[in-house]
């Protein structure tokens, strides 16, 4: 059984930084694409960033230049470094991993407020 566990969410003031981590555990083969979505209250879930096994990234325009996605294949972990956070970044952030099927984490709350 594959499980994804996120950590690193919390509350921060505008302009601050947070680093999210997501560890994949269980019995599985090669992890394909890993990434992050987010969902703000009353809005649809939207892609934040994704990264291939070879490190090719795709980052949403709304966070480009502020957020960086990376992964450690040896640790089955994906990271999201979030800098220059804005109130509109407030959302629940979900990590996902494609391992034949798509698996999701439980979500971690990020709140940006003064």
């Amino acid at each position: 059984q594959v499980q994804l566990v996120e950590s690193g969410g919390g509350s921060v003031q505008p302009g601050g930084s947070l680093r999210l981590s997501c560890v994949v555990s269980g019995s599985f083969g090669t992890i394909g694409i890993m990434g992050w979505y987010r969902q703000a209250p009353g809005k649809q879930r939207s892609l934040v960033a994704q990264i291939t096994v070879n490190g090719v990234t795709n980052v949403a325009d709304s966070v480009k230049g502020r957020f960086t996605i990376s992964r450690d294949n040896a640790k089955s972990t994906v990271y999201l470094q979030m800098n220059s956070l804005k109130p509109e970044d407030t959302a629940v952030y979900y990590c996902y991993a494609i391992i034949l099927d798509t698996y999701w984490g439980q979500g971690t709350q990020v709140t940006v407020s003064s």
Side-chain angles (χ1 to χ4, degrees):
Q1 185 177 1
V2 176
Q3 288 188 319
L4 279 66
V5 179
E6 297 133 338
S7 60
S11 296
V12 65
Q13 293 186 339
S17 298
L18 286 173
R19 189 192 194 205
L20 305 184
S21 300
C22 174
V23 180
V24 183
S25 64
S27 177
F28 52 86
T30 302
I31 303 174
I33 293 174
M34 304 179 77
W36 297 88
Y37 273 70
R38 69 185 181 185
Q39 187 167 21
K43 295 188 177 181
Q44 289 188 327
R45 192 175 294 193
S46 62
L47 177 68
V48 178
Q50 61 186 29
I51 183 168
T52 70
V53 65
N54 295 319
V56 177
T57 63
N58 177 34
V59 180
D61 288 341
S62 60
V63 304
K64 200 165 290 184
R66 300 188 297 120
F67 291 12
T68 302
I69 187 170
S70 61
R71 65 189 283 172
D72 185 333
N73 292 328
K75 296 182 179 179
S76 301
T77 301
V78 63
Y79 306 96
L80 186 68
Q81 178 66 45
M82 305 185 293
N83 299 328
S84 302
L85 282 159
K86 304 176 180 180
E88 52 263 43
D89 295 319
T90 295
V92 178
Y93 285 70
Y94 299 89
C95 70
Y96 73 97
I98 298 177
I99 311 169
L100 297 181
D101 204 346
T102 302
Y103 296 88
W104 292 90
Q106 79 285 356
T108 185
Q109 177 70 45
V110 171
T111 302
V112 185
S113 174
S114 55

